[in-house]
PDB file of all heavy atoms in Angstrom:
ATOM      1  N   SER A   1     -11.837  18.512   4.682  1.00 96.00           N
ATOM      2  CA  SER A   1     -12.980  18.466   5.589  1.00 96.00           C
ATOM      3  C   SER A   1     -12.915  19.554   6.580  1.00 96.00           C
ATOM      4  O   SER A   1     -13.911  20.138   6.912  1.00 96.00           O
ATOM      5  CB  SER A   1     -12.873  17.076   6.275  1.00 96.00           C
ATOM      6  OG  SER A   1     -13.062  15.967   5.361  1.00 96.00           O
ATOM      7  N   VAL A   2     -11.746  19.763   7.089  1.00 95.00           N
ATOM      8  CA  VAL A   2     -11.591  20.913   8.127  1.00 95.00           C
ATOM      9  C   VAL A   2     -11.904  22.191   7.376  1.00 95.00           C
ATOM     10  O   VAL A   2     -12.558  23.071   7.954  1.00 95.00           O
ATOM     11  CB  VAL A   2     -10.124  21.001   8.649  1.00 95.00           C
ATOM     12  CG1 VAL A   2      -9.903  22.167   9.677  1.00 95.00           C
ATOM     13  CG2 VAL A   2      -9.838  19.606   9.383  1.00 95.00           C
ATOM     14  N   ALA A   3     -11.455  22.486   6.217  1.00 94.00           N
ATOM     15  CA  ALA A   3     -11.669  23.761   5.524  1.00 94.00           C
ATOM     16  C   ALA A   3     -13.059  23.932   5.240  1.00 94.00           C
ATOM     17  O   ALA A   3     -13.509  25.081   5.189  1.00 94.00           O
ATOM     18  CB  ALA A   3     -10.921  23.755   4.155  1.00 94.00           C
ATOM     19  N   LEU A   4     -13.932  22.836   5.105  1.00 94.00           N
ATOM     20  CA  LEU A   4     -15.267  23.046   4.774  1.00 94.00           C
ATOM     21  C   LEU A   4     -16.166  23.149   6.129  1.00 94.00           C
ATOM     22  O   LEU A   4     -17.338  23.185   5.991  1.00 94.00           O
ATOM     23  CB  LEU A   4     -15.759  21.781   3.952  1.00 94.00           C
ATOM     24  CG  LEU A   4     -15.216  21.631   2.609  1.00 94.00           C
ATOM     25  CD1 LEU A   4     -15.838  20.348   1.892  1.00 94.00           C
ATOM     26  CD2 LEU A   4     -15.631  22.857   1.729  1.00 94.00           C
ATOM     27  N   GLY A   5     -15.475  23.231   7.178  1.00 94.00           N
ATOM     28  CA  GLY A   5     -16.139  23.399   8.424  1.00 94.00           C
ATOM     29  C   GLY A   5     -16.442  22.223   9.234  1.00 94.00           C
ATOM     30  O   GLY A   5     -17.300  22.124  10.087  1.00 94.00           O
ATOM     31  N   GLY A   6     -15.629  21.134   8.788  1.00 96.00           N
ATOM     32  CA  GLY A   6     -15.918  19.818   9.407  1.00 96.00           C
ATOM     33  C   GLY A   6     -14.782  19.383  10.338  1.00 96.00           C
ATOM     34  O   GLY A   6     -14.044  20.168  10.906  1.00 96.00           O
ATOM     35  N   THR A   7     -14.571  18.021  10.465  1.00 96.00           N
ATOM     36  CA  THR A   7     -13.511  17.559  11.378  1.00 96.00           C
ATOM     37  C   THR A   7     -12.898  16.329  10.654  1.00 96.00           C
ATOM     38  O   THR A   7     -13.346  15.802   9.778  1.00 96.00           O
ATOM     39  CB  THR A   7     -14.159  17.102  12.675  1.00 96.00           C
ATOM     40  OG1 THR A   7     -13.167  16.495  13.541  1.00 96.00           O
ATOM     41  CG2 THR A   7     -15.314  16.096  12.535  1.00 96.00           C
ATOM     42  N   ILE A   8     -11.759  15.861  11.184  1.00 96.00           N
ATOM     43  CA  ILE A   8     -10.932  14.939  10.496  1.00 96.00           C
ATOM     44  C   ILE A   8     -11.374  13.497  10.922  1.00 96.00           C
ATOM     45  O   ILE A   8     -10.831  12.490  10.381  1.00 96.00           O
ATOM     46  CB  ILE A   8      -9.478  14.958  10.859  1.00 96.00           C
ATOM     47  CG1 ILE A   8      -9.242  14.956  12.398  1.00 96.00           C
ATOM     48  CG2 ILE A   8      -8.786  16.381  10.411  1.00 96.00           C
ATOM     49  CD1 ILE A   8      -7.696  14.676  12.829  1.00 96.00           C
ATOM     50  N   THR A   9     -12.348  13.351  11.835  1.00 93.00           N
ATOM     51  CA  THR A   9     -12.871  11.959  12.062  1.00 93.00           C
ATOM     52  C   THR A   9     -14.317  12.035  12.509  1.00 93.00           C
ATOM     53  O   THR A   9     -14.773  12.971  13.050  1.00 93.00           O
ATOM     54  CB  THR A   9     -12.050  11.243  13.158  1.00 93.00           C
ATOM     55  OG1 THR A   9     -12.534   9.867  13.388  1.00 93.00           O
ATOM     56  CG2 THR A   9     -12.033  11.990  14.461  1.00 93.00           C
ATOM     57  N   GLY A  10     -15.010  10.957  12.181  1.00 90.00           N
ATOM     58  CA  GLY A  10     -16.387  10.813  12.681  1.00 90.00           C
ATOM     59  C   GLY A  10     -16.623   9.748  13.622  1.00 90.00           C
ATOM     60  O   GLY A  10     -17.455   9.756  14.456  1.00 90.00           O
ATOM     61  N   GLU A  11     -15.950   8.580  13.309  1.00 90.00           N
ATOM     62  CA  GLU A  11     -16.144   7.385  14.196  1.00 90.00           C
ATOM     63  C   GLU A  11     -14.858   6.517  14.179  1.00 90.00           C
ATOM     64  O   GLU A  11     -14.829   5.595  15.150  1.00 90.00           O
ATOM     65  CB  GLU A  11     -17.352   6.599  13.734  1.00 90.00           C
ATOM     66  CG  GLU A  11     -17.270   6.118  12.233  1.00 90.00           C
ATOM     67  CD  GLU A  11     -18.354   5.285  11.859  1.00 90.00           C
ATOM     68  OE1 GLU A  11     -19.063   4.781  12.680  1.00 90.00           O
ATOM     69  OE2 GLU A  11     -18.547   5.161  10.607  1.00 90.00           O
ATOM     70  N   HIS A  12     -13.906   6.608  13.250  1.00 93.00           N
ATOM     71  CA  HIS A  12     -12.815   5.784  13.329  1.00 93.00           C
ATOM     72  C   HIS A  12     -11.696   6.054  14.262  1.00 93.00           C
ATOM     73  O   HIS A  12     -10.768   5.289  14.478  1.00 93.00           O
ATOM     74  CB  HIS A  12     -12.233   5.570  11.889  1.00 93.00           C
ATOM     75  CG  HIS A  12     -13.127   4.946  10.917  1.00 93.00           C
ATOM     76  ND1 HIS A  12     -12.776   4.775   9.576  1.00 93.00           N
ATOM     77  CD2 HIS A  12     -14.311   4.363  11.088  1.00 93.00           C
ATOM     78  CE1 HIS A  12     -13.822   4.141   8.912  1.00 93.00           C
ATOM     79  NE2 HIS A  12     -14.717   3.865   9.746  1.00 93.00           N
ATOM     80  N   GLY A  13     -11.723   7.245  14.901  1.00 94.00           N
ATOM     81  CA  GLY A  13     -10.696   7.766  15.711  1.00 94.00           C
ATOM     82  C   GLY A  13      -9.552   8.309  14.922  1.00 94.00           C
ATOM     83  O   GLY A  13      -9.554   8.271  13.687  1.00 94.00           O
ATOM     84  N   VAL A  14      -8.491   8.730  15.709  1.00 96.00           N
ATOM     85  CA  VAL A  14      -7.246   9.391  15.158  1.00 96.00           C
ATOM     86  C   VAL A  14      -6.195   8.331  14.939  1.00 96.00           C
ATOM     87  O   VAL A  14      -5.585   8.211  13.929  1.00 96.00           O
ATOM     88  CB  VAL A  14      -6.893  10.557  15.968  1.00 96.00           C
ATOM     89  CG1 VAL A  14      -5.553  11.105  15.387  1.00 96.00           C
ATOM     90  CG2 VAL A  14      -7.991  11.651  16.055  1.00 96.00           C
ATOM     91  N   GLY A  15      -5.893   7.722  16.099  1.00 96.00           N
ATOM     92  CA  GLY A  15      -4.873   6.639  16.098  1.00 96.00           C
ATOM     93  C   GLY A  15      -3.514   7.231  15.549  1.00 96.00           C
ATOM     94  O   GLY A  15      -2.963   8.353  15.924  1.00 96.00           O
ATOM     95  N   ILE A  16      -2.889   6.394  14.577  1.00 95.00           N
ATOM     96  CA  ILE A  16      -1.699   6.986  13.930  1.00 95.00           C
ATOM     97  C   ILE A  16      -2.055   7.679  12.654  1.00 95.00           C
ATOM     98  O   ILE A  16      -1.436   8.633  12.268  1.00 95.00           O
ATOM     99  CB  ILE A  16      -0.829   5.728  13.638  1.00 95.00           C
ATOM    100  CG1 ILE A  16      -0.238   5.170  14.944  1.00 95.00           C
ATOM    101  CG2 ILE A  16       0.433   6.191  12.826  1.00 95.00           C
ATOM    102  CD1 ILE A  16       0.546   3.882  14.695  1.00 95.00           C
ATOM    103  N   GLU A  17      -3.170   7.139  11.975  1.00 93.00           N
ATOM    104  CA  GLU A  17      -3.467   7.646  10.621  1.00 93.00           C
ATOM    105  C   GLU A  17      -3.587   9.069  10.501  1.00 93.00           C
ATOM    106  O   GLU A  17      -3.101   9.697   9.638  1.00 93.00           O
ATOM    107  CB  GLU A  17      -4.751   6.824  10.237  1.00 93.00           C
ATOM    108  CG  GLU A  17      -5.266   7.320   8.918  1.00 93.00           C
ATOM    109  CD  GLU A  17      -6.706   6.958   8.660  1.00 93.00           C
ATOM    110  OE1 GLU A  17      -7.502   6.895   9.766  1.00 93.00           O
ATOM    111  OE2 GLU A  17      -7.061   6.744   7.516  1.00 93.00           O
ATOM    112  N   LYS A  18      -4.324   9.696  11.401  1.00 95.00           N
ATOM    113  CA  LYS A  18      -4.744  11.075  11.315  1.00 95.00           C
ATOM    114  C   LYS A  18      -3.909  12.027  12.298  1.00 95.00           C
ATOM    115  O   LYS A  18      -4.422  13.167  12.466  1.00 95.00           O
ATOM    116  CB  LYS A  18      -6.193  11.226  11.579  1.00 95.00           C
ATOM    117  CG  LYS A  18      -7.080  10.367  10.672  1.00 95.00           C
ATOM    118  CD  LYS A  18      -8.558  10.658  10.912  1.00 95.00           C
ATOM    119  CE  LYS A  18      -9.562   9.766  10.144  1.00 95.00           C
ATOM    120  NZ  LYS A  18      -9.671   8.534  10.959  1.00 95.00           N
ATOM    121  N   ILE A  19      -2.953  11.546  12.871  1.00 95.00           N
ATOM    122  CA  ILE A  19      -2.317  12.344  13.937  1.00 95.00           C
ATOM    123  C   ILE A  19      -1.670  13.646  13.367  1.00 95.00           C
ATOM    124  O   ILE A  19      -1.749  14.748  13.967  1.00 95.00           O
ATOM    125  CB  ILE A  19      -1.213  11.544  14.671  1.00 95.00           C
ATOM    126  CG1 ILE A  19      -0.749  12.236  15.969  1.00 95.00           C
ATOM    127  CG2 ILE A  19      -0.028  11.259  13.832  1.00 95.00           C
ATOM    128  CD1 ILE A  19       0.012  11.446  17.022  1.00 95.00           C
ATOM    129  N   ASN A  20      -1.225  13.605  12.126  1.00 94.00           N
ATOM    130  CA  ASN A  20      -0.704  14.882  11.477  1.00 94.00           C
ATOM    131  C   ASN A  20      -1.833  15.870  11.289  1.00 94.00           C
ATOM    132  O   ASN A  20      -1.670  17.043  11.385  1.00 94.00           O
ATOM    133  CB  ASN A  20      -0.022  14.620  10.149  1.00 94.00           C
ATOM    134  CG  ASN A  20       1.378  14.057  10.311  1.00 94.00           C
ATOM    135  OD1 ASN A  20       2.011  14.230  11.424  1.00 94.00           O
ATOM    136  ND2 ASN A  20       1.865  13.333   9.366  1.00 94.00           N
ATOM    137  N   GLN A  21      -2.996  15.376  10.856  1.00 94.00           N
ATOM    138  CA  GLN A  21      -4.133  16.266  10.570  1.00 94.00           C
ATOM    139  C   GLN A  21      -4.742  16.947  11.886  1.00 94.00           C
ATOM    140  O   GLN A  21      -5.511  17.815  11.762  1.00 94.00           O
ATOM    141  CB  GLN A  21      -5.185  15.487   9.796  1.00 94.00           C
ATOM    142  CG  GLN A  21      -4.847  15.424   8.260  1.00 94.00           C
ATOM    143  CD  GLN A  21      -3.785  14.418   8.010  1.00 94.00           C
ATOM    144  OE1 GLN A  21      -3.776  13.264   8.612  1.00 94.00           O
ATOM    145  NE2 GLN A  21      -2.754  14.743   7.185  1.00 94.00           N
ATOM    146  N   MET A  22      -4.474  16.203  13.008  1.00 95.00           N
ATOM    147  CA  MET A  22      -4.842  16.930  14.241  1.00 95.00           C
ATOM    148  C   MET A  22      -4.261  18.339  14.318  1.00 95.00           C
ATOM    149  O   MET A  22      -4.785  19.256  14.968  1.00 95.00           O
ATOM    150  CB  MET A  22      -4.406  16.098  15.435  1.00 95.00           C
ATOM    151  CG  MET A  22      -5.158  14.860  15.758  1.00 95.00           C
ATOM    152  SD  MET A  22      -6.785  15.254  16.436  1.00 95.00           S
ATOM    153  CE  MET A  22      -6.402  15.668  18.107  1.00 95.00           C
ATOM    154  N   CYS A  23      -3.044  18.515  13.773  1.00 93.00           N
ATOM    155  CA  CYS A  23      -2.423  19.825  13.678  1.00 93.00           C
ATOM    156  C   CYS A  23      -3.178  20.775  12.826  1.00 93.00           C
ATOM    157  O   CYS A  23      -3.035  21.988  12.974  1.00 93.00           O
ATOM    158  CB  CYS A  23      -0.924  19.692  13.167  1.00 93.00           C
ATOM    159  SG  CYS A  23       0.033  18.506  14.161  1.00 93.00           S
ATOM    160  N   SER A  24      -3.902  20.281  11.870  1.00 91.00           N
ATOM    161  CA  SER A  24      -4.692  21.199  11.073  1.00 91.00           C
ATOM    162  C   SER A  24      -5.968  21.607  11.625  1.00 91.00           C
ATOM    163  O   SER A  24      -6.549  22.559  11.551  1.00 91.00           O
ATOM    164  CB  SER A  24      -5.012  20.414   9.625  1.00 91.00           C
ATOM    165  OG  SER A  24      -3.933  20.013   8.942  1.00 91.00           O
ATOM    166  N   GLN A  25      -6.475  20.629  12.538  1.00 94.00           N
ATOM    167  CA  GLN A  25      -7.735  20.840  13.235  1.00 94.00           C
ATOM    168  C   GLN A  25      -7.601  21.694  14.469  1.00 94.00           C
ATOM    169  O   GLN A  25      -8.532  22.492  14.757  1.00 94.00           O
ATOM    170  CB  GLN A  25      -8.300  19.468  13.621  1.00 94.00           C
ATOM    171  CG  GLN A  25      -9.594  19.510  14.314  1.00 94.00           C
ATOM    172  CD  GLN A  25     -10.711  19.461  13.469  1.00 94.00           C
ATOM    173  OE1 GLN A  25     -10.908  18.501  12.601  1.00 94.00           O
ATOM    174  NE2 GLN A  25     -11.674  20.333  13.504  1.00 94.00           N
ATOM    175  N   PHE A  26      -6.499  21.554  15.182  1.00 94.00           N
ATOM    176  CA  PHE A  26      -6.382  22.303  16.474  1.00 94.00           C
ATOM    177  C   PHE A  26      -5.222  23.157  16.537  1.00 94.00           C
ATOM    178  O   PHE A  26      -4.153  22.832  15.901  1.00 94.00           O
ATOM    179  CB  PHE A  26      -6.384  21.253  17.604  1.00 94.00           C
ATOM    180  CG  PHE A  26      -7.611  20.367  17.727  1.00 94.00           C
ATOM    181  CD1 PHE A  26      -7.641  19.125  17.258  1.00 94.00           C
ATOM    182  CD2 PHE A  26      -8.808  20.932  18.248  1.00 94.00           C
ATOM    183  CE1 PHE A  26      -8.824  18.350  17.290  1.00 94.00           C
ATOM    184  CE2 PHE A  26      -9.900  20.189  18.312  1.00 94.00           C
ATOM    185  CZ  PHE A  26      -9.882  18.829  17.928  1.00 94.00           C
ATOM    186  N   ALA A  27      -5.315  24.239  17.348  1.00 92.00           N
ATOM    187  CA  ALA A  27      -4.223  25.073  17.630  1.00 92.00           C
ATOM    188  C   ALA A  27      -3.361  24.679  18.825  1.00 92.00           C
ATOM    189  O   ALA A  27      -3.802  23.841  19.577  1.00 92.00           O
ATOM    190  CB  ALA A  27      -4.722  26.564  17.684  1.00 92.00           C
ATOM    191  N   THR A  28      -2.275  25.363  18.982  1.00 91.00           N
ATOM    192  CA  THR A  28      -1.333  25.163  20.087  1.00 91.00           C
ATOM    193  C   THR A  28      -2.026  25.009  21.503  1.00 91.00           C
ATOM    194  O   THR A  28      -1.878  24.069  22.189  1.00 91.00           O
ATOM    195  CB  THR A  28      -0.187  26.080  20.169  1.00 91.00           C
ATOM    196  OG1 THR A  28       0.569  26.036  18.994  1.00 91.00           O
ATOM    197  CG2 THR A  28       0.746  25.806  21.354  1.00 91.00           C
ATOM    198  N   PRO A  29      -2.797  25.976  21.930  1.00 93.00           N
ATOM    199  CA  PRO A  29      -3.497  25.877  23.207  1.00 93.00           C
ATOM    200  C   PRO A  29      -4.352  24.679  23.375  1.00 93.00           C
ATOM    201  O   PRO A  29      -4.274  24.047  24.557  1.00 93.00           O
ATOM    202  CB  PRO A  29      -4.333  27.164  23.292  1.00 93.00           C
ATOM    203  CG  PRO A  29      -3.680  28.127  22.366  1.00 93.00           C
ATOM    204  CD  PRO A  29      -3.186  27.300  21.301  1.00 93.00           C
ATOM    205  N   GLU A  30      -5.044  24.233  22.336  1.00 94.00           N
ATOM    206  CA  GLU A  30      -5.814  22.967  22.399  1.00 94.00           C
ATOM    207  C   GLU A  30      -5.018  21.712  22.500  1.00 94.00           C
ATOM    208  O   GLU A  30      -5.389  20.845  23.328  1.00 94.00           O
ATOM    209  CB  GLU A  30      -6.831  22.970  21.139  1.00 94.00           C
ATOM    210  CG  GLU A  30      -7.773  24.085  21.160  1.00 94.00           C
ATOM    211  CD  GLU A  30      -8.269  24.392  19.781  1.00 94.00           C
ATOM    212  OE1 GLU A  30      -7.488  24.432  18.720  1.00 94.00           O
ATOM    213  OE2 GLU A  30      -9.625  24.437  19.650  1.00 94.00           O
ATOM    214  N   ILE A  31      -3.969  21.683  21.712  1.00 94.00           N
ATOM    215  CA  ILE A  31      -3.053  20.537  21.803  1.00 94.00           C
ATOM    216  C   ILE A  31      -2.431  20.434  23.184  1.00 94.00           C
ATOM    217  O   ILE A  31      -2.395  19.292  23.698  1.00 94.00           O
ATOM    218  CB  ILE A  31      -1.980  20.608  20.783  1.00 94.00           C
ATOM    219  CG1 ILE A  31      -2.461  20.704  19.353  1.00 94.00           C
ATOM    220  CG2 ILE A  31      -0.912  19.625  20.940  1.00 94.00           C
ATOM    221  CD1 ILE A  31      -3.045  19.364  18.869  1.00 94.00           C
ATOM    222  N   ARG A  32      -2.062  21.525  23.778  1.00 93.00           N
ATOM    223  CA  ARG A  32      -1.478  21.583  25.137  1.00 93.00           C
ATOM    224  C   ARG A  32      -2.554  21.123  26.093  1.00 93.00           C
ATOM    225  O   ARG A  32      -2.217  20.329  26.961  1.00 93.00           O
ATOM    226  CB  ARG A  32      -0.988  22.928  25.573  1.00 93.00           C
ATOM    227  CG  ARG A  32       0.321  23.359  24.865  1.00 93.00           C
ATOM    228  CD  ARG A  32       0.678  24.721  25.355  1.00 93.00           C
ATOM    229  NE  ARG A  32       2.032  24.961  24.940  1.00 93.00           N
ATOM    230  CZ  ARG A  32       2.535  26.255  24.576  1.00 93.00           C
ATOM    231  NH1 ARG A  32       1.564  27.230  24.472  1.00 93.00           N
ATOM    232  NH2 ARG A  32       3.652  26.447  24.075  1.00 93.00           N
ATOM    233  N   GLN A  33      -3.701  21.417  25.989  1.00 95.00           N
ATOM    234  CA  GLN A  33      -4.791  20.988  26.862  1.00 95.00           C
ATOM    235  C   GLN A  33      -5.090  19.525  26.775  1.00 95.00           C
ATOM    236  O   GLN A  33      -5.312  18.828  27.756  1.00 95.00           O
ATOM    237  CB  GLN A  33      -6.117  21.786  26.668  1.00 95.00           C
ATOM    238  CG  GLN A  33      -7.131  21.810  27.766  1.00 95.00           C
ATOM    239  CD  GLN A  33      -6.555  22.493  29.027  1.00 95.00           C
ATOM    240  OE1 GLN A  33      -5.662  23.359  28.883  1.00 95.00           O
ATOM    241  NE2 GLN A  33      -7.014  21.939  30.261  1.00 95.00           N
ATOM    242  N   PHE A  34      -5.039  18.998  25.617  1.00 95.00           N
ATOM    243  CA  PHE A  34      -5.255  17.536  25.346  1.00 95.00           C
ATOM    244  C   PHE A  34      -4.164  16.794  26.141  1.00 95.00           C
ATOM    245  O   PHE A  34      -4.402  15.785  26.851  1.00 95.00           O
ATOM    246  CB  PHE A  34      -5.128  17.156  23.909  1.00 95.00           C
ATOM    247  CG  PHE A  34      -6.248  17.580  23.097  1.00 95.00           C
ATOM    248  CD1 PHE A  34      -6.174  17.953  21.711  1.00 95.00           C
ATOM    249  CD2 PHE A  34      -7.603  17.552  23.579  1.00 95.00           C
ATOM    250  CE1 PHE A  34      -7.217  18.310  21.025  1.00 95.00           C
ATOM    251  CE2 PHE A  34      -8.676  17.875  22.817  1.00 95.00           C
ATOM    252  CZ  PHE A  34      -8.498  18.370  21.490  1.00 95.00           C
ATOM    253  N   HIS A  35      -2.929  17.342  26.091  1.00 94.00           N
ATOM    254  CA  HIS A  35      -1.788  16.655  26.792  1.00 94.00           C
ATOM    255  C   HIS A  35      -1.937  16.720  28.295  1.00 94.00           C
ATOM    256  O   HIS A  35      -1.654  15.850  29.134  1.00 94.00           O
ATOM    257  CB  HIS A  35      -0.575  17.310  26.415  1.00 94.00           C
ATOM    258  CG  HIS A  35      -0.021  16.726  25.032  1.00 94.00           C
ATOM    259  ND1 HIS A  35       0.467  15.449  24.907  1.00 94.00           N
ATOM    260  CD2 HIS A  35       0.002  17.362  23.895  1.00 94.00           C
ATOM    261  CE1 HIS A  35       0.757  15.281  23.662  1.00 94.00           C
ATOM    262  NE2 HIS A  35       0.538  16.394  22.952  1.00 94.00           N
ATOM    263  N   ARG A  36      -2.600  17.858  28.812  1.00 95.00           N
ATOM    264  CA  ARG A  36      -2.759  17.997  30.224  1.00 95.00           C
ATOM    265  C   ARG A  36      -3.825  16.949  30.734  1.00 95.00           C
ATOM    266  O   ARG A  36      -3.690  16.370  31.749  1.00 95.00           O
ATOM    267  CB  ARG A  36      -3.243  19.373  30.513  1.00 95.00           C
ATOM    268  CG  ARG A  36      -2.140  20.353  30.362  1.00 95.00           C
ATOM    269  CD  ARG A  36      -2.627  21.858  30.796  1.00 95.00           C
ATOM    270  NE  ARG A  36      -1.678  22.752  30.714  1.00 95.00           N
ATOM    271  CZ  ARG A  36      -1.505  23.676  29.778  1.00 95.00           C
ATOM    272  NH1 ARG A  36      -2.504  23.804  28.903  1.00 95.00           N
ATOM    273  NH2 ARG A  36      -0.469  24.479  29.743  1.00 95.00           N
ATOM    274  N   VAL A  37      -4.830  16.639  29.932  1.00 96.00           N
ATOM    275  CA  VAL A  37      -5.860  15.691  30.291  1.00 96.00           C
ATOM    276  C   VAL A  37      -5.160  14.317  30.375  1.00 96.00           C
ATOM    277  O   VAL A  37      -5.398  13.503  31.265  1.00 96.00           O
ATOM    278  CB  VAL A  37      -6.989  15.645  29.214  1.00 96.00           C
ATOM    279  CG1 VAL A  37      -8.024  14.479  29.540  1.00 96.00           C
ATOM    280  CG2 VAL A  37      -7.786  17.047  29.333  1.00 96.00           C
ATOM    281  N   LYS A  38      -4.415  13.985  29.287  1.00 96.00           N
ATOM    282  CA  LYS A  38      -3.755  12.815  29.226  1.00 96.00           C
ATOM    283  C   LYS A  38      -2.813  12.580  30.416  1.00 96.00           C
ATOM    284  O   LYS A  38      -2.809  11.519  31.058  1.00 96.00           O
ATOM    285  CB  LYS A  38      -2.866  12.682  27.971  1.00 96.00           C
ATOM    286  CG  LYS A  38      -1.671  11.715  27.968  1.00 96.00           C
ATOM    287  CD  LYS A  38      -2.245  10.255  27.677  1.00 96.00           C
ATOM    288  CE  LYS A  38      -1.099   9.335  27.302  1.00 96.00           C
ATOM    289  NZ  LYS A  38      -1.618   7.883  27.325  1.00 96.00           N
ATOM    290  N   ALA A  39      -2.067  13.635  30.857  1.00 95.00           N
ATOM    291  CA  ALA A  39      -1.162  13.567  31.909  1.00 95.00           C
ATOM    292  C   ALA A  39      -1.886  13.376  33.277  1.00 95.00           C
ATOM    293  O   ALA A  39      -1.363  12.720  34.279  1.00 95.00           O
ATOM    294  CB  ALA A  39      -0.265  14.860  31.972  1.00 95.00           C
ATOM    295  N   ALA A  40      -3.077  13.880  33.376  1.00 96.00           N
ATOM    296  CA  ALA A  40      -3.905  13.644  34.588  1.00 96.00           C
ATOM    297  C   ALA A  40      -4.200  12.243  34.968  1.00 96.00           C
ATOM    298  O   ALA A  40      -4.269  11.783  36.071  1.00 96.00           O
ATOM    299  CB  ALA A  40      -5.209  14.446  34.572  1.00 96.00           C
ATOM    300  N   PHE A  41      -4.379  11.452  33.909  1.00 97.00           N
ATOM    301  CA  PHE A  41      -4.676   9.961  33.920  1.00 97.00           C
ATOM    302  C   PHE A  41      -3.384   9.179  33.905  1.00 97.00           C
ATOM    303  O   PHE A  41      -3.238   8.104  34.564  1.00 97.00           O
ATOM    304  CB  PHE A  41      -5.634   9.577  32.852  1.00 97.00           C
ATOM    305  CG  PHE A  41      -7.018  10.020  33.061  1.00 97.00           C
ATOM    306  CD1 PHE A  41      -7.425  11.222  32.665  1.00 97.00           C
ATOM    307  CD2 PHE A  41      -7.926   9.173  33.649  1.00 97.00           C
ATOM    308  CE1 PHE A  41      -8.837  11.561  32.862  1.00 97.00           C
ATOM    309  CE2 PHE A  41      -9.217   9.465  33.810  1.00 97.00           C
ATOM    310  CZ  PHE A  41      -9.657  10.796  33.366  1.00 97.00           C
ATOM    311  N   ASP A  42      -2.408   9.691  33.114  1.00 96.00           N
ATOM    312  CA  ASP A  42      -1.309   8.756  32.709  1.00 96.00           C
ATOM    313  C   ASP A  42      -0.096   9.665  32.602  1.00 96.00           C
ATOM    314  O   ASP A  42       0.425   9.887  31.517  1.00 96.00           O
ATOM    315  CB  ASP A  42      -1.562   8.127  31.363  1.00 96.00           C
ATOM    316  CG  ASP A  42      -0.496   7.255  30.852  1.00 96.00           C
ATOM    317  OD1 ASP A  42       0.435   6.824  31.689  1.00 96.00           O
ATOM    318  OD2 ASP A  42      -0.343   6.852  29.645  1.00 96.00           O
ATOM    319  N   PRO A  43       0.437  10.076  33.799  1.00 94.00           N
ATOM    320  CA  PRO A  43       1.559  11.057  33.721  1.00 94.00           C
ATOM    321  C   PRO A  43       2.824  10.598  33.155  1.00 94.00           C
ATOM    322  O   PRO A  43       3.597  11.425  32.570  1.00 94.00           O
ATOM    323  CB  PRO A  43       1.813  11.378  35.236  1.00 94.00           C
ATOM    324  CG  PRO A  43       1.160  10.197  36.042  1.00 94.00           C
ATOM    325  CD  PRO A  43       0.025   9.785  35.170  1.00 94.00           C
ATOM    326  N   LEU A  44       3.145   9.329  33.006  1.00 93.00           N
ATOM    327  CA  LEU A  44       4.278   8.775  32.369  1.00 93.00           C
ATOM    328  C   LEU A  44       4.139   8.457  31.010  1.00 93.00           C
ATOM    329  O   LEU A  44       5.028   8.196  30.251  1.00 93.00           O
ATOM    330  CB  LEU A  44       4.761   7.503  33.130  1.00 93.00           C
ATOM    331  CG  LEU A  44       5.267   7.576  34.518  1.00 93.00           C
ATOM    332  CD1 LEU A  44       5.513   6.298  35.033  1.00 93.00           C
ATOM    333  CD2 LEU A  44       6.466   8.588  34.523  1.00 93.00           C
ATOM    334  N   GLY A  45       2.882   8.633  30.453  1.00 95.00           N
ATOM    335  CA  GLY A  45       2.570   8.531  28.974  1.00 95.00           C
ATOM    336  C   GLY A  45       2.811   7.024  28.519  1.00 95.00           C
ATOM    337  O   GLY A  45       3.273   6.809  27.408  1.00 95.00           O
ATOM    338  N   LEU A  46       2.339   6.146  29.249  1.00 97.00           N
ATOM    339  CA  LEU A  46       2.581   4.688  28.978  1.00 97.00           C
ATOM    340  C   LEU A  46       1.446   4.123  28.243  1.00 97.00           C
ATOM    341  O   LEU A  46       1.642   3.026  27.543  1.00 97.00           O
ATOM    342  CB  LEU A  46       2.779   3.889  30.348  1.00 97.00           C
ATOM    343  CG  LEU A  46       4.000   4.334  31.176  1.00 97.00           C
ATOM    344  CD1 LEU A  46       4.034   3.368  32.438  1.00 97.00           C
ATOM    345  CD2 LEU A  46       5.340   4.103  30.353  1.00 97.00           C
TER     346      LEU A  46
END
């Protein structure tokens, strides 16, 4: 799906199921930015 120009989810979310494929979809800077957003709301990761 990613190779064809798409994405790994349309409506079911990532959860646990697709967490590895997030690494296919996004590069390091994007992953880091996702974590920064998470930390802004939930700094302890709870």
Side-chain angles (χ1 to χ4, degrees):
S1 296
V2 175
L4 293 177
T7 180
I8 62 169
T9 183
E11 58 174 342
H12 290 179
V14 175
I16 296 173
E17 176 198 31
K18 305 184 187 78
I19 195 165
N20 283 337
Q21 283 72 45
M22 285 287 285
C23 305
S24 301
Q25 181 90 49
F26 298 104
T28 299
E30 296 161 312
I31 297 290
R32 284 182 173 143
Q33 199 63 29
F34 288 146
H35 281 289
R36 289 187 179 102
V37 172
K38 166 73 168 168
F41 285 84
D42 179 20
L44 294 176
L46 298 178

